[in-house]
């Protein structure tokens, strides 16, 4: 009987021993980066209210409409485009008058109509003037003033580049400390970021006869990225 199996087995072992060891894959480094760009705002939004009260609904609504029309006319004269004045809310509330009114009661009875509206101010230096025009024409409340960048895209693009650079710099330092080098990117995720004011523009406390003024501040556009880098010796 011819013995073939031992020879074949020896040959197989030689072939297997000649195969190179499988190389380990690159090391993954998961890094976050942040980029922020700070700019002066060029757009303001005034949040205002016209509120009226009357014993009957017709009178309350009519008075509210008239006041609002006066406000819009005053804003138009000040240079605000009509489509930059927009309705934000409209509420009608009824409180019946009790048979016995409590003494010194500050409660208002009848129908109360509350109309909220926003005014975009594209010439930001006019923000105080717009507030004064609203209150002089019949607005009963200024709820706040928001500040922003009319076109945030260029600032966001800069913030994205800064965020990626920030992540790459951290990854490079980490890889170097471990005796590795960055050889590629496995994935990159762009996270959202807020557009927020640095500090707050607040109206100065001035006498009623004085115009409303604001302190200068800035708006910050922030972007976050999550990057998985590949590192190897």
């Amino acid at each position: 009987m011819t013995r073939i199996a031992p020879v074949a087995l020896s040959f197989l072992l030689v072939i297997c021993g000649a195969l190179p060891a499988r190389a380990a894959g690159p090391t993954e480094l998961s890094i976050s980066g942040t980029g922020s760009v700070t700019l002066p705002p060029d757009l303001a939004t005034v949040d205002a209210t016209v509120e009226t009260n009357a014993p009957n609904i017709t009178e309350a609504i009519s008075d509210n409409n008239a006041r609002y029309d006066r406000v819009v006319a005053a804003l138009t004269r000040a240079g605000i485009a009509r489509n930059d004045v927009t309705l934000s809310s409209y509420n009608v509330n009824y409180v019946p008058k009790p048979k016995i009114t409590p003494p010194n009661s500050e409660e208002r009875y009848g129908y109360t109509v509350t109309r909220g509206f926003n005014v975009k101010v594209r010439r930001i230096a006019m923000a105080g003037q717009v507030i004064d025009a609203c209150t002089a024409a019949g607005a009963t409340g200024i709820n706040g003033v928001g500040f922003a960048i009319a076109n945030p895209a260029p600032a966001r693009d800069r913030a994205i580049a800064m965020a990626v650079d920030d992540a790459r710099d951290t990854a490079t330092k980490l890889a170097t400390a471990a005796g590795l080098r960055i050889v590629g990117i496995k994935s990159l995720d762009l996270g959202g970021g807020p557009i927020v004011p640095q500090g707050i523009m607040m109206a100065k406390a001035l006498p009623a006869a004085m115009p409303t003024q604001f302190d200068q501040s800035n708006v910050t556009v922030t972007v976050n990225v999550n990057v998985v880098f590949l590192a190897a010796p």
Side-chain angles (χ1 to χ4, degrees):
M1 179 182 294
T2 303
R3 296 182 179 181
I4 300 177
V7 177
L9 178 59
S10 298
F11 181 73
L12 179 61
L13 291 175
V14 172
I15 294 299
C16 290
L19 292 176
R22 188 172 183 179
T27 300
E28 295 183 2
L29 305 177
S30 181
I31 306 295
S32 295
T34 301
S36 295
V37 176
T38 299
L39 298 169
D42 58 6
L43 177 68
T45 301
V46 176
D47 179 3
T49 302
V50 169
E51 186 173 279
T52 53
N53 175 263
N56 64 77
I57 184 64
T58 301
E59 184 181 348
I61 291 176
S62 177
D63 187 16
N64 197 281
N65 289 342
R67 280 176 173 265
Y68 183 65
D69 287 344
R70 290 198 300 270
V71 170
V72 172
L75 292 173
T76 302
R77 290 193 298 271
I80 301 297
R82 179 62 185 86
N83 58 3
D84 281 336
V85 183
T86 56
L87 182 70
S88 60
S89 64
Y90 189 87
N91 298 294
V92 178
N93 186 44
Y94 174 69
V95 177
K97 187 174 181 179
K99 294 181 179 179
I100 300 177
T101 305
N104 303 321
S105 175
E106 296 181 357
E107 182 71 48
R108 290 193 301 175
Y109 304 106
Y111 291 90
T112 299
V113 178
T114 306
R115 184 196 308 254
F117 59 98
N118 294 323
V119 184
K120 284 187 178 180
V121 187
R122 301 184 186 277
R123 286 183 289 169
I124 198 167
M126 290 181 57
Q129 180 183 343
V130 165
I131 289 175
D132 294 337
C134 286
T135 54
T140 55
I142 301 296
N143 306 315
V145 184
F147 299 88
I149 301 172
N151 180 18
R156 182 172 172 80
D157 290 345
R158 288 170 54 196
I160 289 173
M162 293 170 65
V164 173
D165 287 344
D166 180 45
R168 187 185 300 278
D169 181 62
T170 301
T172 300
K173 291 177 180 177
L174 182 61
T176 301
L180 303 172
R181 61 187 178 86
I182 301 299
V183 297
I185 293 177
K186 180 180 179 180
S187 65
L188 190 153
D189 174 55
L190 177 63
I195 301 178
V196 297
Q198 291 290 101
I200 303 176
M201 283 180 156
M202 298 296 292
K204 291 183 177 179
L206 297 174
M210 296 289 289
T212 302
Q213 297 179 2
F214 290 94
D215 293 328
Q216 181 62 48
S217 186
N218 292 309
V219 172
T220 297
V221 179
T222 300
V223 169
N224 302 309
V225 296
N226 299 307
V227 188
V228 177
F229 292 92
L230 301 176

